[in-house]
């Protein structure tokens, strides 16, 4: 059933004045509870989004009867948060499939343009010290700059390079390498990787590794799928002492923040939740939608909304242990981890 907030039909383009114009839409006429239930966010945050995206959305809709930025933002939020196909959400707010598709495309591109503003990994002394302090409060693990993981979002089979997007579980996906802070704020989000790549391959090719491999202070935490590096601390494969066990416990308790964060993102933005179906788009467009949702996650968190209010509670998947050849081991990183355990977990 359509929400009676405006008549937003593609017939407008054909019949003109016989129909209400799209620019008469009034966001103030939509009740607060409807904004939350249908579009996933409170009024204040939606108005904030409209303002920061207005210029880009108006720039893309230079037509005599263009859809207003308010309607475009609501249409996109409805799609991101409902997990419904664009047709279903278009019916909900009363716009055509073609208009709904344009709205989602326009808002997605506008949000992707904002990614460098909202998703940043600062390495200045003040940000580094704050990160160390906030992470150490979690489980006593020192020197943490962020927690790293690579997650998969299900997509339809692409028309070309089909096998490169088939992941180890046998379905098509795009890989997203994430780093977040102790609050669940994303510091890095690279969403364009074919699902068939291993996590280590993604890391080796990523901008993140280039950014951090020369870090002189601090490290990321990664699970057993990653190689131990001076800037990337991983768990002990077989802890043999109480100190090594304590190190692993603190590592696990801290690293799970990134798992919780992505589960919360999937729960809020149900278009990313594989249990509801897969994204019906090309890998490139799916990657853009994923990045747009990451931007929205950070923007909402920076606006005071709780990152984990909607977190799913399904059990965490246990990662496979990376099998390294002896020549690939980093002896300096092993010494650094050994010293870390002796100094902080004894």
């Amino acid at each position: 059933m359509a929400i009676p907030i405006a008549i937003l039909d593609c017939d407008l383009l054909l019949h003109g004045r016989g129909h209400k114009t799209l620019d008469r839409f009034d966001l103030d006429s939509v009740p607060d509870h409807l904004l939350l239930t249908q579009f996933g966010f409170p009024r204040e945050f939606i108005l904030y989004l409209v303002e920061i995206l207005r210029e880009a959305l108006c720039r893309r809709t230079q037509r005599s009867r263009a859809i207003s930025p308010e309607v475009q933002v609501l249409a996109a939020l409805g799609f991101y948060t409902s997990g419904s196909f664009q047709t279903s959400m278009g019916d909900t707010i009363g716009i055509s499939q073609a208009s709904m598709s344009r709205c989602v495309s326009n808002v997605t591109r506008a949000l992707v343009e904002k990614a460098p503003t909202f998703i940043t990994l600062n390495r200045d002394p003040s940000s580094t010290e704050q990160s160390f302090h906030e992470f150490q409060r979690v489980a006593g693990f020192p020197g943490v700059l962020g927690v790293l993981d690579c997650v998969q979002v299900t997509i339809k089979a692409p028309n070309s390079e089909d096998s490169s997007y088939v992941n180890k579980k046998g379905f098509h996906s795009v890989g997203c390498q994430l780093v977040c802070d102790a609050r669940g704020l994303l510091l890095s989000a690279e969403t364009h990787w074919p699902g068939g790549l291993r996590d280590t391959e993604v890391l080796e090719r990523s901008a993140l590794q280039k950014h951090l491999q020369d870090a002189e202070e601090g490290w990321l935490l990664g699970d057993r799928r990653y190689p131990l590096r001076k800037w990337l601390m991983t768990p002990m494969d077989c802890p043999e002492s109480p100190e090594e066990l304590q190190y692993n416990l603190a590592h696990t308790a801290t690293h799970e923040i990134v798992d919780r964060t992505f589960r919360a993102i999937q729960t809020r933005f149900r278009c990313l939740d594989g249990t509801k179906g897969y994204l019906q788009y090309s890998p490139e467009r799916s990657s853009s939608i994923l990045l747009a949702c990451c931007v929205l996650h950070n923007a909402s968190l920076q606006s005071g909304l709780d990152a984990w209010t909607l977190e799913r509670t399904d059990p965490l998947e246990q990662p496979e242990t990376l099998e390294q050849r002896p020549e690939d081991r980093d002896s300096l990183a092993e010494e650094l981890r050994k010293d870390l355990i002796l100094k902080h977990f004894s």
Side-chain angles (χ1 to χ4, degrees):
M1 178 179 178
I3 300 170
I5 52 181
I7 298 176
L8 306 175
D9 198 305
C10 63
D11 287 345
L12 169 67
L13 301 177
L14 299 176
H15 302 294
R17 295 180 182 179
H19 294 255
K20 293 184 179 180
T21 57
L22 299 179
D23 57 7
R24 292 180 187 175
F25 175 81
D26 182 12
L27 184 59
D28 292 338
S29 67
V30 186
D32 289 343
H33 75 275
L34 199 59
L35 292 176
L36 276 172
T37 56
Q38 294 287 342
F39 306 105
F41 289 97
R43 180 182 307 278
E44 294 76 13
F45 182 72
I46 294 174
L47 291 172
Y48 166 68
L49 280 181
V50 171
E51 287 310 306
I52 65 172
L53 302 180
R54 183 180 298 278
E55 181 180 356
L57 296 180
C58 289
R59 187 171 66 241
R60 293 193 173 94
T61 55
Q62 295 291 328
R63 299 185 315 208
S64 59
R65 293 185 181 277
I67 300 176
S68 70
E70 289 81 0
V71 173
Q72 292 187 66
V73 167
L74 279 186
L77 289 180
F79 167 69
Y80 297 149
T81 61
S82 70
S84 300
F85 293 120
Q86 286 188 3
T87 303
S88 301
M89 183 48 60
D91 290 344
T92 298
I93 63 175
I95 62 176
S96 68
Q97 162 65 15
S99 295
M100 184 72 195
S101 180
R102 284 195 299 270
C103 289
V104 173
S105 295
N106 290 344
V107 173
T108 297
R109 285 196 295 267
L111 287 168
V112 167
E113 289 175 1
K114 294 289 185 182
T117 301
F118 285 97
I119 305 175
T120 58
L121 179 56
N122 294 319
R123 290 177 55 187
D124 59 88
S126 176
S127 298
T128 298
E129 188 61 34
Q130 181 179 355
S131 178
F132 289 173
H133 177 70
E134 291 180 349
F135 272 116
Q136 190 149 8
R137 288 173 54 189
V138 174
F141 205 111
V144 180
L145 296 169
V147 283
L148 166 70
D149 200 8
C150 191
V151 297
Q152 302 292 325
V153 173
T154 312
I155 63 171
K156 73 173 182 179
N159 294 326
S160 62
E161 298 183 71
D162 188 74
S163 61
S164 68
Y165 286 91
V166 178
N167 61 33
K168 63 182 181 181
K169 294 185 177 179
F171 59 83
H172 293 84
S173 64
V174 290
C176 176
Q177 181 177 268
L178 300 175
V179 176
C180 73
D181 69 10
R183 300 166 294 162
L185 188 75
L186 296 174
L187 307 176
S188 175
E190 298 184 40
T191 66
H192 57 282
W193 302 105
L197 290 176
R198 294 178 301 167
D199 295 354
T200 52
E201 294 175 311
V202 171
L203 181 61
E204 289 168 0
R205 302 181 189 185
S206 69
L208 178 71
Q209 175 161 302
K210 296 179 178 65
H211 183 66
L212 285 176
Q213 62 186 358
D214 62 344
E216 297 180 356
E217 186 178 19
W219 37 69
L220 302 180
L221 298 188
D223 61 27
R224 290 182 173 87
R225 291 173 292 185
Y226 291 103
L228 178 67
R229 296 290 182 259
K230 291 189 295 182
W231 52 273
L232 178 58
M233 290 291 111
T234 60
M236 298 292 297
D237 289 338
C238 299
E240 297 177 349
S241 68
E243 293 80 11
E244 291 178 350
L245 178 59
Q246 184 60 38
Y247 166 89
N248 272 14
L249 291 173
H251 188 290
T252 299
T254 308
H255 182 266
E256 73 172 6
I257 292 172
V258 69
D259 298 302
R260 292 183 59 197
T261 296
F262 186 65
R263 289 205 306 267
I265 291 172
Q266 281 186 305
T267 305
R268 169 161 274 157
F269 303 107
R270 295 180 183 175
C271 67
L272 307 179
D273 184 355
T275 64
K276 307 293 183 183
Y278 51 82
L279 285 172
Q280 303 281 330
Y281 307 103
S282 67
E284 294 77 17
R285 191 171 182 190
S286 297
S287 297
S288 294
I289 290 171
L290 175 52
L291 183 55
C293 292
C294 290
V295 171
L296 286 171
H297 168 80
N298 270 18
S300 64
L301 189 59
Q302 292 168 354
S303 298
L305 302 181
D306 188 345
W308 296 323
T309 300
L310 303 174
E311 180 191 0
R312 282 196 335 227
T313 57
D314 46 316
L316 296 177
E317 180 182 343
Q318 294 302 311
E320 299 177 358
T321 300
L322 175 68
E323 295 184 6
Q324 279 189 291
R325 298 174 301 177
E327 58 268 30
D328 292 334
R329 301 177 73 92
D330 187 330
S331 58
L332 292 177
E334 290 179 350
E335 284 298 316
L336 181 60
R337 183 171 65 178
K338 181 179 178 180
D339 291 343
L340 173 65
I341 292 171
L342 290 175
K343 183 176 180 180
H344 293 280
F345 298 97
S346 297

